[in-house]
Amino acid sequence: MISVLRPAGGAIFLLLLLAGTARAADDYTLPFHDPNVGMSYGVDRDLRSCIQADWTGQVWVDCAAHWGRVYDNHTGMDFPMAAFSAVAAARDGVVIDLFEGFGTWQFGANGNFVLVGHADGKRTLYYHLAQNGVLVGVGDQVTAGQVIAKSGCSGMCNGEHLHFELLAQQHGGWFPADPNWERRWTTWPARVPFLASYWRENNAGAERIIHGQTIAHWVEFRNDGGRTWRNDTGRGRILLGTWNPAAHASAFRAWDWGSTWYATNVDGATAPGQVGRFTFGLYGGPPAGSYGETFNLVANGLFWFDHARLGSFWVPINVVWGISPTPRVGTR
């Protein structure tokens, strides 16, 4: 049943992330990486003048803008974010078109944009980008979660934000669809592509390693993002790597590491909401003493996770000298 709301005092504010808990069934994620970003306006599903229908099924018979919900004849979703914030591809696809002739805050009839085509026949549009903020070219293959642009306020823009549209072909033309109403997201509420939080580890204290020997360590993180963590090869698989600085060569690299900085993949595929384990060795290479090694998660070749949200994960390490065998004294 659709309810009709007539003008009332005060603005209506509602964040996208508060809009229910049911599982979605498609393969799109929010087109940015900051989970604190909320939606200011969504798609108006009723194109009649001064009649607005939002993704919840509510209808307003007025011409007012309803903050957090919808305004009249709005064809996309607006996400307020600071200029030059990372804009991410919402799904794997190919760049079809782009434009970046406007300044970052230049007002005009159009704005800088990227248009991406997807295997399901739909397209996504990323609008109001910064000057020189397009980071891809026409014909480029992009991966879900890949940074493809920087946000701005070019074109018809009132305050920095990303205007995101989902377009579907109908009657020979391209028309806006509502990803909220159609449950196009990989999760509901919709989530950013890559996000995680610390869960537990086999030893949350200091690891003791005999110099020259290797121990096994594991840590678990919950997948709070919108994409399933992969442990295969290629772009986007989830790795545990050294941090601070990112991808530095570790003095504790063990034989099972993938490189000097990359300790391991996630042990198995981990869907959103599930907990993934990362198992890796630590080698006691440095002289005896107290140390620490800092780690972070990365979607391979796409995006490092928010280290603070991971619990600023690091492993305290005590390297100790081994006990030498007692030498024999004399012979018979």
Side-chain angles (χ1 to χ4, degrees):
M1 180 177 177
I2 296 178
S3 58
V4 176
L5 301 185
R6 288 180 168 76
I12 298 175
F13 177 77
L14 184 66
L15 289 178
L16 171 63
L17 300 182
L18 300 179
T21 57
R23 184 82 177 170
D26 215 314
D27 198 24
Y28 292 82
T29 53
L30 292 175
F32 47 87
H33 293 97
D34 183 355
N36 295 314
V37 172
M39 187 185 74
S40 56
Y41 296 106
V43 176
D44 177 11
R45 296 186 300 102
D46 191 320
L47 297 182
R48 291 176 295 176
S49 179
C50 292
I51 300 178
Q52 304 166 56
D54 77 354
W55 77 93
T56 69
Q58 290 187 339
V59 175
W60 287 265
V61 182
D62 62 23
C63 300
H66 298 274
W67 177 261
R69 304 296 279 272
V70 69
Y71 67 82
D72 202 28
N73 287 309
H74 191 222
T75 57
M77 304 175 69
D78 287 344
F79 297 104
M81 58 181 68
F84 309 109
S85 298
V87 174
R91 196 179 201 257
D92 295 355
V94 178
V95 178
I96 297 173
D97 196 7
L98 59 86
F99 183 82
E100 51 177 354
F102 287 89
T104 299
W105 294 275
Q106 184 175 354
F107 190 81
N110 299 294
N112 303 324
F113 71 87
V114 173
L115 180 67
V116 179
H118 305 285
D120 63 352
K122 293 181 173 59
R123 295 177 175 180
T124 49
L125 177 65
Y126 310 78
Y127 235 127
H128 302 313
L129 305 177
Q131 184 177 30
N132 300 318
V134 176
L135 306 179
V136 291
V138 173
D140 285 357
Q141 298 274 348
V142 297
T143 303
Q146 177 181 340
V147 178
I148 59 173
K150 298 293 185 179
S151 64
C153 191
S154 59
M156 298 286 286
C157 174
N158 182 18
E160 295 94 340
H161 70 281
L162 172 68
H163 175 98
F164 172 75
E165 283 193 24
L166 179 67
L167 301 170
Q169 196 167 30
Q170 298 177 11
H171 310 297
W174 292 94
F175 295 89
D178 186 350
N180 282 358
W181 177 259
E182 298 180 4
R183 296 295 194 266
R184 292 289 174 186
W185 310 113
T186 56
T187 58
W188 187 260
R191 299 179 188 171
V192 298
F194 306 117
L195 192 68
S197 55
Y198 175 86
W199 193 252
R200 62 172 183 165
E201 59 192 300
N202 63 314
N203 179 9
E207 287 284 23
R208 181 177 182 273
I209 309 174
I210 296 175
H211 178 75
Q213 295 188 16
T214 297
I215 65 166
H217 190 92
W218 59 258
V219 59
E220 292 178 340
F221 298 98
R222 187 182 62 210
N223 181 356
D224 294 330
R227 306 215 70 82
T228 295
W229 292 352
R230 298 172 17 232
N231 70 336
D232 53 9
T233 59
R235 301 187 77 198
R237 73 189 192 276
I238 304 300
L239 312 179
L240 182 75
T242 57
W243 187 249
N244 194 28
H248 70 263
S250 176
F252 303 98
R253 175 190 179 186
W255 63 269
D256 61 343
W257 285 38
S259 73
T260 59
W261 67 270
Y262 145 45
T264 187
N265 293 348
V266 64
D267 287 2
T270 307
Q274 295 182 346
V275 173
R277 177 174 290 189
F278 298 77
T279 304
F280 58 102
L282 290 169
Y283 173 67
S290 297
Y291 304 90
E293 187 60 281
T294 305
F295 296 93
N296 195 5
L297 299 182
V298 60
N300 187 43
L302 298 180
F303 195 78
W304 283 97
F305 283 52
D306 184 334
H307 188 246
R309 287 180 178 270
L310 287 177
S312 303
F313 176 63
W314 66 290
V315 180
I317 299 170
N318 292 327
V319 177
V320 298
W321 299 116
I323 300 175
S324 301
T326 303
R328 292 184 179 184
V329 178
T331 58
R332 291 179 74 92

